[in-house]
Amino acid sequence: MTKFEAVERLEVIVKASENAIYNYKIKENIWENYGKSRTYLSIVEIRKDGASKHYKEKKYGFIDNKTGDYKADKYGDLTKDYTFSGSSF
């Protein structure tokens, strides 16, 4: 899975997760150290109205930038059809 394909998949999950209360943002974090290069992927949930400080991040694993391999997180997997809250779509 390429980084581009992973971000497209995150966009599908965000679209399936949309509701009247929360906004969802895709977050990419590039990490390079110890001869490794990885892009960590996650989605952040925040309230639309700003009435609270609600902030929840769900991690979806990482992509090895050198080999293109995808490694899923324990709680989030891009290859499965689940919304941010865990409902199937």
Side-chain angles (χ1 to χ4, degrees):
M1 176 181 294
T2 66
K3 185 171 147 183
F4 180 74
E5 292 170 338
V7 171
E8 281 184 334
R9 184 65 182 154
L10 285 171
E11 289 171 356
V12 169
I13 293 170
V14 166
K15 187 163 179 72
S17 300
E18 289 178 347
N19 60 45
I21 300 171
Y22 299 114
N23 281 332
Y24 298 93
K25 265 175 116 175
I26 296 171
K27 196 170 150 187
E28 297 176 53
N29 185 19
I30 298 172
W31 176 82
E32 293 179 349
N33 212 345
Y34 306 109
K36 298 178 183 178
S37 177
R38 296 176 176 171
T39 301
Y40 286 88
L41 305 163
S42 61
I43 297 176
V44 175
E45 176 184 75
I46 54 176
R47 265 188 85 98
K48 285 185 177 180
D49 61 5
S52 71
K53 295 179 183 179
H54 179 82
Y55 181 94
K56 183 176 179 184
E57 183 174 355
K58 185 171 184 180
K59 297 177 182 183
Y60 283 89
F62 67 87
I63 294 183
D64 188 322
N65 295 328
K66 293 183 178 179
T67 64
D69 292 336
Y70 170 69
K71 173 73 172 145
D73 191 71
K74 183 177 180 181
Y75 300 107
D77 189 351
L78 293 177
T79 61
K80 310 267 187 208
D81 290 334
Y82 291 104
T83 62
F84 184 87
S85 63
S87 302
S88 64
F89 63 91

